[in-house]
Amino acid sequence: MIYGAILLFALVFLFLATQFQEAGDMHAIGSGFYPILTCFILAGLCIMQLVTEWRTASDDQAEAEPANWQRALMVFAVLAVYGLGMMLIGYLPATILGFMAILFLLGVRRWTWYLAAPVFSFALSYIFAEVFMVFLPAGSLFQ
Amino acid sequence: MKKSLKAIAGVVALSLGSSLAMAADYPARNIRMIVPFGAGGGTDSVARALAEYTEPHLGQPIAIMNRTGGAGAVGMTAGANSRADGYTITMITREIVSLPKLGLMQVDSEAFKMVRLVNFDPALVTVKADSPYKTMGDIIEKAKANPGSVKFASTAKPNFYALAIERNQDVTFNQIPFNGAAEASTAVMGGHVEFTITGPGEVKSQVESGQLRPLAVMAEKRLASMPEVPTMKELGFDVVSGTWRGIAVPKKTPDEIVAKLESAIGKAVADKDFVAFMEKGNFFIEDKSAAEFTKFIGEDTKSLMPIIEKL
Amino acid sequence: MFEYLLQGILATFQMDVFPFLLAGVTGGIAIGALPGLTATMGVAIMLPFTFGMGAGASLAMLIGVYVGAIYGGSIPAILLRTPGTPASAATAIDGHELVKQGYATKALSISVICSFLGGLVSTIMLITVSPMLANFALRFSAPEYFTLALFGLTIIASISAKSMTKGLIGGFLGLIVACIGLDPITSTPRYTFGVMELYNGLSIIPVLIGLFAISECLLQAEQLNLGAGNAIKKFSHSFVSRKEFREFLPSGLKSSLMGTLIGSVPGAGADIAAFVCYNEARRSSKKPETFGKGSLEGIAAAEAGNNGVTGGALVPLLTLGVPGDAVAAVLLGALTIQGLSPGPMLFQNSPDVVYGVFSSMLIANFLMLIVGLLGIKLFCRIVEVPKVLIVPMIAMLAVVGAYSMNNSMFDVGVALGFGFLGYLLTKCEIPLSPIVLAIILGPMAETNLRKSLMMYEGSWSFLYERPIVVVFIALAALSIYSTWRIKKKVNASEQEQAAAA
């Protein structure tokens, strides 16, 4: 599956690379040369890997997936929402909520653990905003 | 906490008051200055020093926010699209003129109201100490006789300094791009390329130690720090070029706020400590008021247009 | 010379300098350890604070930050597989493997010892042979840079533990991703899709944070089993044994020298040095098959290599007046603010400043060693924090780290995207470090190949006409040969095992 996706990616980028402007003067190789070469090799590697997997397919099928991939996806979704939410409600509240959401997803139910969220969030925003003077998003709702 | 309360108070004041009242209170909280280039570079140093010396005249701290990307396009676009309340100011550079014309930036100088020009660095042509080129004329002659044979270390692509010479004299150099003045001047010292064009400050110590030899400065008049170096004009090549840095705010910013910023920055630029900083860093002060700055940008656009159209 | 150096050292221990140096080193370690804050950024942020200080204190503090930050990046790289700075990406490969095996203390102590070694060797070389190093640096031109990058890239094939093809797929994916942005030679937009944020290419920091930190969070979230997660993981407190010390010392020393050489060449920084030294250590190792599985030599090489750059980067600054890397560029700014112009004249005009820099470098490295060793116990606590807390902590730190580099939400998006990519690739056993390596070295290889062709007017003769180039090509060939040899060895032993079973 993933090799198919990478193969597709390589082919699309290969096509795009052929559209790049070629070198104007004779001394140079153009913008397209290196990406074309790279995409070409990558596509070749993917085909090789697909062939290998196909030949040994029976072995791979045997390995069951015990892992809980839905939970990984949900954590990822929380992070994406957290990134967007930071713009809206500001860094500190978003971080506290995001931290708690991940704890919840990981199956933590004891409330004492949730205290870590504000402590860590305050510490982090203090270090970045006050010590290193990084502008953390203030949240557009409050501006 | 105190800071955020202050910020909230500021926001409330903003939404309640008219633009006049807003301008009267200005600045009520800290100001951020967007610098479109990375921490540690020339633009960043000038910005940090300017912020330092402007603070006392505004009565509020100015914090630097580096927003790099797209050779300055990302930071300047962010600056143009920021809230027009004077709390986000932007250090703009010559790229505000060139990038939009090259199609590499959506906003142009029209999106800004100019506050004050602070610095103009003319370009300086240098060669290796033992280079066979004794004058600028030697380089032009060789390039005319044999187009593309003279190797030029370019600090940015497209390089408007070299393009200006190429256009004016109808020659072509073999332009080899380097990542900034440090790499370009090292390549010249190593003898891998034949000449480079940089800001005077970027090669001052190599010139002083005799590793690089300046041939010409692309300014209207000779530099006070290098009086022996002729200008291009004196040598008969009518080319003036350089880079500049100034402060601007979004177009819709109220004039009262612009006036306050303009005068505060004006005082900072006149501050003897700032002058000393600029001298030590080999940056050249060019103090122009808002109106003069706007006119200056118009002229610079005119001078760059024919070069860009040729590309 | 020794008289000046002695004076410099005495001056550095004065109360108007020493506290700043110590603060710089400690602060630098913290800056390096936080993802998204790099050595360059740390030094640049500190610069305005030094406006009012004397030259000695100002330079001491900045040098302290520099030395500390390059080391500091290795702490999270080892403990959390999240490199604090790009310079520590190579350290993460073997460092985190060791932690997984329960040897956190050992990994951290090798890292601090070798960082110290690299810093010390490079400082001594800076003091004694900097004119020769400068001469070497001046001989570096586009062909040399190209082949140096090429040599570094040859490791891609061997980095993968299981399948060479998979390692190569990761590497070439990185090479293509690195093409995004304006072409460095002609400024043609490549794969930018009109997005302005992409014109300068993807920043390495958010990519690094995504690939390592965020993907690790997702993997942990998936595997975490609450009961097991709360149990404190047992780990060994054992320090390095004398035998182990003898094992990694040679590669540490060699990498210190190589790091100094690479640092003295303008435009090649600590990240490049770490990977090149790592590759060379693996190539010449007696046990190359242990690389990627917790090799002590691997950590030693990467850490000695990246800290070796610190002294090297000051060589062109002090001898030629040009900065060797981005941090040295800020130091150049600090010198000019003090009214000094760096370059050979500085030795004649202000020897006290030059020797002040030398002794600050020396003492900063000793301070880093002391702070680092004392800190190991504290740093190791991170491993004892329950995994359910570590996952959200890394996730939140990753997001703010990606944001802080450039105050950009776009970079947060890049980090998240690469986090998901890293998660998918890890599930398919495609290694992630070749991607980072390719992003760091790929553009260097392409740009300099094209520049070489421009300089040689289309001729490829630079490949055999220049001695340094020939050396690098030979090393690259040897590296590929040794990869092939290792694979053969590993395959043979696997077959034996299969036969025995």
Side-chain angles (χ1 to χ4, degrees), chain A residues 33-96:
Chain A
F33 171 78
Y34 171 80
I36 288 176
L37 184 74
T38 318
C39 290
F40 200 71
I41 298 176
L42 181 63
L45 287 166
C46 286
I47 294 170
M48 261 171 71
Q49 188 64 27
L50 282 172
V51 171
T52 326
E53 304 248 312
W54 177 68
R55 279 159 79 190
T56 54
S58 52
D59 297 1
D60 281 357
Q61 297 285 306
E63 282 176 35
E65 290 252 318
N68 189 349
W69 60 268
Q70 292 97 330
R71 193 155 67 184
L73 283 188
M74 281 197 288
V75 169
F76 184 74
V78 167
L79 284 177
V81 172
Y82 164 60
L84 293 173
M86 203 155 82
M87 300 293 285
L88 276 180
I89 61 171
Y91 178 76
L92 198 58
T95 309
I96 297 175

Coordinates of all heavy atoms in Angstrom, one line a residue, chain A residues 33-96:
Chain A
F33 N 16.9 18.5 -13.8 CA 17.8 17.3 -13.9 C 17.8 16.5 -12.6 O 17.5 15.3 -12.6 CB 19.2 17.7 -14.2 CG 20.2 16.6 -14.1 CD1 20.3 15.7 -15.1 CD2 21.1 16.5 -13.0 CE1 21.2 14.6 -15.0 CE2 22.0 15.5 -13.0 CZ 22.1 14.6 -14.0
Y34 N 18.1 17.2 -11.5 CA 18.3 16.4 -10.2 C 17.0 15.9 -9.7 O 16.9 14.7 -9.3 CB 19.0 17.4 -9.2 CG 19.1 16.9 -7.8 CD1 20.0 16.0 -7.4 CD2 18.2 17.4 -6.9 CE1 20.1 15.6 -6.1 CE2 18.3 17.0 -5.5 CZ 19.3 16.1 -5.2 OH 19.3 15.7 -3.9
P35 N 15.9 16.7 -9.7 CA 14.6 16.1 -9.2 C 14.1 14.9 -10.1 O 13.6 13.9 -9.6 CB 13.6 17.2 -9.3 CG 14.4 18.4 -9.3 CD 15.7 18.1 -9.9
I36 N 14.4 15.0 -11.4 CA 13.9 13.9 -12.3 C 14.7 12.7 -12.0 O 14.1 11.6 -11.8 CB 14.2 14.3 -13.8 CG1 13.2 15.4 -14.2 CG2 14.1 13.1 -14.7 CD1 13.3 16.0 -15.6
L37 N 16.0 12.8 -11.8 CA 16.9 11.7 -11.5 C 16.4 11.0 -10.2 O 16.2 9.8 -10.1 CB 18.3 12.2 -11.4 CG 19.4 11.1 -11.1 CD1 19.6 10.3 -12.3 CD2 20.7 11.7 -10.6
T38 N 16.2 11.9 -9.2 CA 15.8 11.4 -7.9 C 14.4 10.7 -7.9 O 14.3 9.6 -7.4 CB 15.7 12.6 -6.9 OG1 16.8 13.4 -7.1 CG2 15.7 12.1 -5.4
C39 N 13.4 11.3 -8.6 CA 12.1 10.7 -8.7 C 12.2 9.4 -9.4 O 11.5 8.4 -9.0 CB 11.2 11.6 -9.4 SG 10.7 13.1 -8.5
F40 N 13.0 9.4 -10.4 CA 13.1 8.2 -11.3 C 13.6 7.0 -10.4 O 13.1 5.9 -10.4 CB 14.1 8.5 -12.4 CG 13.9 7.5 -13.6 CD1 12.8 7.6 -14.4 CD2 14.9 6.6 -13.8 CE1 12.7 6.7 -15.4 CE2 14.8 5.7 -14.9 CZ 13.7 5.8 -15.7
I41 N 14.7 7.3 -9.7 CA 15.3 6.2 -8.8 C 14.3 5.8 -7.7 O 14.1 4.6 -7.5 CB 16.6 6.7 -8.2 CG1 17.6 7.0 -9.3 CG2 17.1 5.6 -7.2 CD1 18.9 7.5 -8.8
L42 N 13.6 6.8 -7.1 CA 12.6 6.4 -6.1 C 11.5 5.5 -6.6 O 11.1 4.6 -6.0 CB 12.0 7.7 -5.5 CG 11.0 7.5 -4.4 CD1 11.7 6.9 -3.2 CD2 10.4 8.9 -3.9
A43 N 11.0 5.9 -7.8 CA 10.0 5.1 -8.4 C 10.5 3.6 -8.6 O 9.8 2.7 -8.3 CB 9.6 5.7 -9.8
G44 N 11.7 3.5 -9.1 CA 12.3 2.2 -9.3 C 12.4 1.4 -8.1 O 12.1 0.2 -8.0
L45 N 12.9 2.1 -7.0 CA 13.0 1.4 -5.7 C 11.6 0.9 -5.2 O 11.5 -0.2 -4.7 CB 13.6 2.4 -4.7 CG 15.1 2.7 -4.8 CD1 15.4 3.9 -3.9 CD2 15.9 1.5 -4.4
C46 N 10.6 1.7 -5.4 CA 9.3 1.3 -4.9 C 8.8 0.1 -5.7 O 8.2 -0.8 -5.1 CB 8.3 2.5 -5.2 SG 8.5 3.8 -4.0
I47 N 9.1 0.1 -7.0 CA 8.6 -1.1 -7.8 C 9.4 -2.3 -7.3 O 8.8 -3.4 -7.1 CB 8.9 -0.8 -9.3 CG1 8.0 0.3 -9.8 CG2 8.7 -2.1 -10.1 CD1 8.3 0.8 -11.2
M48 N 10.7 -2.2 -7.0 CA 11.4 -3.3 -6.5 C 10.8 -3.8 -5.2 O 10.7 -5.0 -5.0 CB 12.9 -2.8 -6.2 CG 13.9 -3.2 -7.3 SD 15.4 -2.4 -6.9 CE 16.0 -3.3 -5.4
Q49 N 10.5 -2.9 -4.3 CA 10.0 -3.3 -3.0 C 8.6 -3.9 -3.2 O 8.3 -4.9 -2.5 CB 9.9 -2.0 -2.1 CG 9.5 -2.3 -0.7 CD 10.6 -3.2 0.0 OE1 11.8 -3.1 -0.3 NE2 10.2 -3.9 1.0
L50 N 7.8 -3.4 -4.1 CA 6.5 -3.9 -4.3 C 6.6 -5.4 -4.8 O 5.8 -6.3 -4.4 CB 5.7 -3.1 -5.4 CG 5.1 -1.8 -4.8 CD1 4.5 -1.0 -6.0 CD2 3.9 -2.1 -3.8
V51 N 7.5 -5.6 -5.7 CA 7.8 -6.9 -6.2 C 8.2 -7.9 -5.1 O 7.6 -9.0 -5.0 CB 8.8 -6.9 -7.4 CG1 9.2 -8.3 -7.8 CG2 8.3 -6.2 -8.6
T52 N 9.1 -7.4 -4.3 CA 9.6 -8.3 -3.2 C 8.4 -8.6 -2.3 O 8.3 -9.8 -1.8 CB 10.7 -7.5 -2.3 OG1 11.4 -6.7 -3.2 CG2 11.6 -8.5 -1.6
E53 N 7.6 -7.6 -1.9 CA 6.5 -7.8 -1.0 C 5.5 -8.8 -1.6 O 5.0 -9.7 -0.9 CB 5.8 -6.5 -0.7 CG 6.7 -5.4 -0.2 CD 6.4 -5.1 1.3 OE1 5.2 -4.9 1.6 OE2 7.4 -5.0 2.1
W54 N 5.3 -8.6 -2.9 CA 4.3 -9.5 -3.6 C 4.8 -10.9 -3.5 O 4.0 -11.9 -3.3 CB 4.1 -9.0 -5.0 CG 3.2 -9.8 -5.8 CD1 1.9 -9.9 -5.7 CD2 3.6 -10.6 -6.9 NE1 1.4 -10.8 -6.6 CE2 2.4 -11.2 -7.4 CE3 4.8 -10.9 -7.6 CZ2 2.4 -12.1 -8.5 CZ3 4.8 -11.8 -8.7 CH2 3.6 -12.4 -9.1
R55 N 6.1 -11.1 -3.7 CA 6.6 -12.5 -3.7 C 6.6 -13.1 -2.3 O 6.5 -14.3 -2.2 CB 8.1 -12.5 -4.3 CG 8.0 -12.5 -5.8 CD 9.3 -12.0 -6.4 NE 10.3 -13.1 -6.4 CZ 11.6 -12.8 -6.6 NH1 12.0 -11.6 -6.9 NH2 12.5 -13.8 -6.6
T56 N 6.7 -12.3 -1.3 CA 6.7 -12.9 0.0 C 5.4 -12.5 0.8 O 5.4 -12.5 2.0 CB 7.9 -12.3 0.9 OG1 7.8 -10.9 0.8 CG2 9.2 -12.7 0.3
A57 N 4.4 -12.3 0.0 CA 3.2 -11.8 0.6 C 2.6 -12.7 1.7 O 2.1 -12.3 2.7 CB 2.1 -11.6 -0.5
S58 N 2.7 -14.0 1.4 CA 2.1 -14.9 2.4 C 2.7 -14.8 3.8 O 2.0 -14.8 4.8 CB 2.4 -16.4 1.9 OG 3.8 -16.5 1.6
D59 N 4.0 -14.5 3.9 CA 4.7 -14.3 5.2 C 4.1 -13.1 5.9 O 3.8 -13.2 7.1 CB 6.2 -14.1 5.0 CG 6.8 -15.3 4.4 OD1 6.1 -16.2 4.1 OD2 8.1 -15.3 4.2
D60 N 3.9 -12.0 5.2 CA 3.5 -10.8 5.8 C 2.1 -10.9 6.3 O 1.8 -10.3 7.4 CB 3.6 -9.6 4.8 CG 5.0 -9.1 4.7 OD1 5.9 -9.7 5.4 OD2 5.3 -8.2 3.9
Q61 N 1.3 -11.6 5.6 CA -0.1 -11.7 6.0 C -0.3 -12.3 7.4 O -1.2 -12.0 8.1 CB -0.9 -12.5 4.9 CG -1.0 -11.9 3.6 CD -1.9 -10.8 3.5 OE1 -3.1 -10.9 3.8 NE2 -1.4 -9.6 3.0
A62 N 0.6 -13.2 7.6 CA 0.6 -14.0 8.9 C 0.7 -13.1 10.1 O 0.1 -13.3 11.1 CB 1.6 -15.0 8.9
E63 N 1.5 -12.0 9.9 CA 1.7 -11.1 11.1 C 0.4 -10.3 11.3 O 0.0 -9.4 10.6 CB 2.8 -10.1 10.8 CG 4.2 -10.7 11.0 CD 5.3 -9.8 10.6 OE1 5.1 -8.6 10.9 OE2 6.3 -10.2 10.1
A64 N -0.3 -10.6 12.4 CA -1.5 -9.8 12.8 C -1.1 -8.5 13.4 O 0.1 -8.3 13.8 CB -2.3 -10.6 13.8
E65 N -2.0 -7.5 13.4 CA -1.7 -6.2 13.9 C -2.4 -6.1 15.3 O -3.6 -5.8 15.3 CB -2.2 -5.1 13.0 CG -1.4 -5.0 11.7 CD -0.5 -3.8 11.7 OE1 -1.0 -2.7 12.1 OE2 0.6 -3.9 11.3
P66 N -1.6 -6.3 16.3 CA -2.3 -6.2 17.6 C -2.5 -4.8 18.1 O -3.2 -4.5 18.9 CB -1.3 -7.0 18.6 CG 0.0 -6.8 17.9 CD -0.2 -6.6 16.5
A67 N -1.7 -3.9 17.4 CA -1.6 -2.5 17.9 C -3.0 -1.8 17.7 O -3.7 -2.1 16.8 CB -0.5 -1.8 17.2
N68 N -3.1 -0.8 18.5 CA -4.4 0.0 18.5 C -4.2 1.2 17.7 O -4.0 2.3 18.2 CB -4.6 0.4 20.0 CG -6.0 0.9 20.2 OD1 -6.7 1.3 19.3 ND2 -6.3 1.1 21.5
W69 N -4.3 1.0 16.3 CA -4.0 2.2 15.5 C -5.1 3.3 15.5 O -4.8 4.4 15.2 CB -3.8 1.7 14.0 CG -4.9 1.0 13.4 CD1 -5.1 -0.4 13.4 CD2 -6.0 1.6 12.7 NE1 -6.3 -0.6 12.7 CE2 -6.8 0.5 12.2 CE3 -6.4 2.9 12.3 CZ2 -8.0 0.7 11.5 CZ3 -7.5 3.1 11.6 CH2 -8.3 2.0 11.2
Q70 N -6.3 2.9 15.9 CA -7.3 3.9 16.0 C -6.9 5.0 17.0 O -7.2 6.2 16.8 CB -8.7 3.4 16.4 CG -9.3 2.5 15.4 CD -9.1 1.0 15.7 OE1 -8.0 0.7 16.3 NE2 -10.0 0.1 15.3
R71 N -6.3 4.5 18.1 CA -5.9 5.5 19.1 C -4.9 6.5 18.6 O -4.9 7.6 18.9 CB -5.4 4.7 20.4 CG -5.3 5.7 21.5 CD -5.3 4.9 22.8 NE -4.2 4.1 23.0 CZ -4.0 3.2 24.0 NH1 -5.0 3.1 25.0 NH2 -2.9 2.5 24.2
A72 N -3.9 5.9 17.8 CA -2.9 6.8 17.2 C -3.6 7.9 16.3 O -3.2 9.0 16.4 CB -1.9 6.0 16.4
L73 N -4.5 7.4 15.5 CA -5.2 8.4 14.7 C -6.0 9.4 15.5 O -6.0 10.6 15.1 CB -6.3 7.7 13.8 CG -5.7 6.9 12.6 CD1 -6.8 6.4 11.7 CD2 -4.7 7.8 11.8
M74 N -6.5 9.0 16.6 CA -7.3 10.0 17.4 C -6.3 11.0 18.1 O -6.6 12.2 18.1 CB -8.1 9.2 18.5 CG -9.4 8.7 17.8 SD -10.6 8.3 19.0 CE -10.0 6.8 19.8
V75 N -5.2 10.5 18.5 CA -4.2 11.4 19.1 C -3.8 12.4 18.0 O -3.6 13.6 18.3 CB -3.0 10.7 19.6 CG1 -1.8 11.6 20.0 CG2 -3.3 9.9 20.9
F76 N -3.6 11.9 16.8 CA -3.2 12.8 15.7 C -4.3 13.9 15.5 O -4.0 15.0 15.3 CB -3.0 12.0 14.4 CG -2.5 12.9 13.3 CD1 -1.2 13.4 13.3 CD2 -3.3 13.3 12.2 CE1 -0.7 14.2 12.2 CE2 -2.9 14.1 11.2 CZ -1.6 14.5 11.2
A77 N -5.5 13.4 15.5 CA -6.7 14.3 15.3 C -6.7 15.4 16.4 O -6.9 16.6 16.1 CB -8.0 13.6 15.3
V78 N -6.4 15.0 17.6 CA -6.3 15.9 18.7 C -5.3 17.0 18.5 O -5.5 18.2 18.6 CB -6.1 15.2 20.1 CG1 -5.7 16.2 21.2 CG2 -7.3 14.4 20.5
L79 N -4.1 16.5 18.0 CA -3.0 17.5 17.7 C -3.4 18.4 16.6 O -3.1 19.6 16.7 CB -1.7 16.7 17.3 CG -1.0 16.0 18.5 CD1 0.2 15.3 18.0 CD2 -0.6 17.1 19.5
A80 N -4.1 18.0 15.6 CA -4.5 18.8 14.5 C -5.5 19.9 15.0 O -5.3 21.1 14.7 CB -5.1 18.0 13.4
V81 N -6.5 19.4 15.8 CA -7.4 20.4 16.4 C -6.7 21.3 17.3 O -7.0 22.5 17.3 CB -8.5 19.6 17.1 CG1 -9.5 20.6 17.9 CG2 -9.3 18.7 16.1
Y82 N -5.8 20.8 18.1 CA -5.0 21.6 19.0 C -4.3 22.8 18.2 O -4.3 23.9 18.7 CB -4.0 20.8 19.7 CG -2.9 21.5 20.5 CD1 -3.2 22.4 21.5 CD2 -1.6 21.2 20.1 CE1 -2.1 23.0 22.1 CE2 -0.5 21.8 20.8 CZ -0.8 22.8 21.8 OH 0.2 23.4 22.4
G83 N -3.7 22.4 17.1 CA -3.0 23.4 16.3 C -3.9 24.5 15.9 O -3.6 25.7 16.0
L84 N -5.1 24.1 15.4 CA -6.1 25.1 14.9 C -6.6 25.9 16.1 O -6.8 27.1 16.1 CB -7.2 24.4 14.2 CG -6.8 23.8 12.8 CD1 -7.9 23.0 12.2 CD2 -6.3 24.9 11.9
G85 N -6.9 25.2 17.2 CA -7.5 25.8 18.4 C -6.6 26.8 19.0 O -7.1 27.8 19.5
M86 N -5.3 26.6 18.9 CA -4.4 27.5 19.5 C -4.6 28.9 18.9 O -4.5 29.9 19.6 CB -3.0 27.0 19.1 CG -1.9 27.4 20.0 SD -0.6 26.2 19.9 CE 0.3 26.7 18.4
M87 N -4.9 29.0 17.6 CA -5.1 30.2 16.9 C -6.3 30.9 17.4 O -6.4 32.1 17.5 CB -5.3 30.0 15.4 CG -4.1 29.3 14.7 SD -2.7 30.4 14.7 CE -3.2 31.6 13.4
L88 N -7.3 30.1 17.8 CA -8.6 30.7 18.2 C -8.6 31.1 19.7 O -8.9 32.2 20.0 CB -9.7 29.6 18.0 CG -10.3 29.5 16.6 CD1 -11.4 28.5 16.6 CD2 -10.9 30.9 16.2
I89 N -8.2 30.1 20.6 CA -8.4 30.4 22.0 C -7.1 30.8 22.7 O -7.1 31.0 23.9 CB -9.1 29.3 22.7 CG1 -8.3 28.0 22.6 CG2 -10.5 29.1 22.2 CD1 -8.9 26.9 23.5
G90 N -6.0 30.8 22.0 CA -4.7 31.1 22.6 C -3.9 29.9 23.0 O -4.5 28.8 23.2
Y91 N -2.6 30.1 23.2 CA -1.7 29.0 23.5 C -2.1 28.3 24.8 O -2.2 27.0 24.8 CB -0.3 29.5 23.5 CG 0.7 28.4 23.8 CD1 1.0 27.4 22.8 CD2 1.2 28.2 25.0 CE1 1.8 26.4 23.0 CE2 2.0 27.1 25.3 CZ 2.3 26.2 24.3 OH 3.1 25.2 24.6
L92 N -2.2 29.0 25.8 CA -2.3 28.4 27.1 C -3.5 27.5 27.3 O -3.4 26.3 27.6 CB -2.1 29.4 28.2 CG -1.8 28.9 29.6 CD1 -0.5 28.1 29.6 CD2 -1.7 30.0 30.6
P93 N -4.7 28.1 27.1 CA -5.9 27.2 27.2 C -5.9 26.0 26.3 O -6.2 24.9 26.7 CB -7.1 28.1 26.9 CG -6.5 29.5 26.8 CD -5.1 29.4 26.7
A94 N -5.4 26.2 25.0 CA -5.4 25.2 24.1 C -4.5 24.0 24.5 O -4.8 22.8 24.4 CB -4.9 25.7 22.7
T95 N -3.3 24.4 25.1 CA -2.4 23.4 25.5 C -3.0 22.6 26.7 O -2.8 21.4 26.7 CB -1.1 24.0 25.9 OG1 -0.6 24.9 24.9 CG2 0.0 23.0 26.2
I96 N -3.6 23.3 27.6 CA -4.2 22.5 28.8 C -5.2 21.6 28.3 O -5.2 20.4 28.6 CB -4.8 23.5 29.8 CG1 -3.7 24.4 30.4 CG2 -5.5 22.8 30.9 CD1 -4.2 25.5 31.3

